[in-house]
Amino acid sequence: MSKREGYISWDDYFMGVALLSGQRSKDPSTQVGACIVNYDNRIVSIGYNGFVNGCSDEDFPWEREGDFLQTKYPFVVHAEQNAILNSKSKSLDKCRIYVNLYPCHDCARNIIQSGIREVIYLSNKYEETDSIKASKMMFEKSGVKLTQLTPETKEIIISLRIEDM
């Protein structure tokens, strides 16, 4: 018997974990997930975008536009930041981070400071914004490698029903 064919690549696997993590987000407009992986292809941490611990999802706004304090922006912790914070005392030195949306300038600062050396992302739909331009400048100047993933796998289907196994 030979090994099974059609198994997913490491990159598709880790991006799949990031996307699955993003499904925990309660944000009605943007679900972002992040997965930090070390040089041995071991998952170090994961995160998704959501409100800070102790703040109820019912007590804060999810709006994208309007008065600053009436939007989600001052209250949401991004997926990349949550993944870095969730790593606790584990070293992120020379790790890579998989994220479905290109990191903003705030996340870029945290990624660089944490020692992560590569960012693998799916979409850069906000690339014309100043935040992303600043992010790209910081990544380039600090030597963090940027890779836009072109997945080999079209979709990953996961069933939680035992009868489908």
Side-chain angles (χ1 to χ4, degrees), residues 73-111:
Y73 298 112
F75 310 110
V76 169
V77 180
H78 288 182
E80 303 93 324
Q81 294 168 323
N82 264 327
I84 290 167
L85 292 167
N86 289 340
S87 69
K88 302 290 182 190
S89 61
K90 297 175 189 163
S91 173
L92 302 182
D93 197 41
K94 298 184 180 116
C95 285
R96 58 193 190 277
I97 187 167
Y98 290 79
V99 61
N100 53 302
L101 190 59
Y102 193 97
C104 72
H105 70 282
D106 203 23
C107 290
R109 290 191 301 245
N110 287 283
I111 288 167

Side-chain angles (χ1 to χ4, degrees), residues 31-107:
Q31 297 79 48
V32 180
C35 179
I36 302 174
V37 179
N38 70 14
Y39 50 86
D40 284 330
N41 286 330
R42 302 287 186 256
I43 295 173
V44 176
S45 187
I46 57 174
Y48 57 89
N49 59 314
F51 291 136
V52 296
N53 288 337
C55 292
S56 171
D57 301 331
E58 306 300 323
D59 295 339
F60 290 88
W62 286 108
E63 280 73 28
R64 294 178 61 161
E65 295 184 17
D67 180 56
F68 185 65
L69 292 177
Q70 299 305 313
T71 69
K72 64 183 179 177
Y73 298 112
F75 310 110
V76 169
V77 180
H78 288 182
E80 303 93 324
Q81 294 168 323
N82 264 327
I84 290 167
L85 292 167
N86 289 340
S87 69
K88 302 290 182 190
S89 61
K90 297 175 189 163
S91 173
L92 302 182
D93 197 41
K94 298 184 180 116
C95 285
R96 58 193 190 277
I97 187 167
Y98 290 79
V99 61
N100 53 302
L101 190 59
Y102 193 97
C104 72
H105 70 282
D106 203 23
C107 290

Side-chain angles (χ1 to χ4, degrees), residues 97-165:
I97 187 167
Y98 290 79
V99 61
N100 53 302
L101 190 59
Y102 193 97
C104 72
H105 70 282
D106 203 23
C107 290
R109 290 191 301 245
N110 287 283
I111 288 167
I112 294 163
Q113 289 297 97
S114 73
I116 292 171
R117 302 308 301 153
E118 183 174 8
V119 174
I120 299 151
Y121 63 95
L122 277 179
S123 171
N124 191 3
K125 68 181 181 177
Y126 300 112
E127 68 182 312
E128 295 304 317
T129 65
D130 287 343
S131 176
I132 299 304
K133 289 176 182 176
S135 175
K136 187 175 183 184
M137 288 172 58
M138 286 186 282
F139 285 141
E140 288 174 353
K141 296 293 184 184
S142 65
V144 171
K145 182 180 176 186
L146 299 169
T147 305
Q148 184 165 15
L149 180 64
T150 302
E152 297 172 18
T153 307
K154 182 178 177 180
E155 66 181 358
I156 299 169
I157 299 171
I158 299 173
S159 174
L160 296 179
R161 296 184 314 176
I162 191 98
E163 58 272 10
D164 291 340
M165 297 177 123

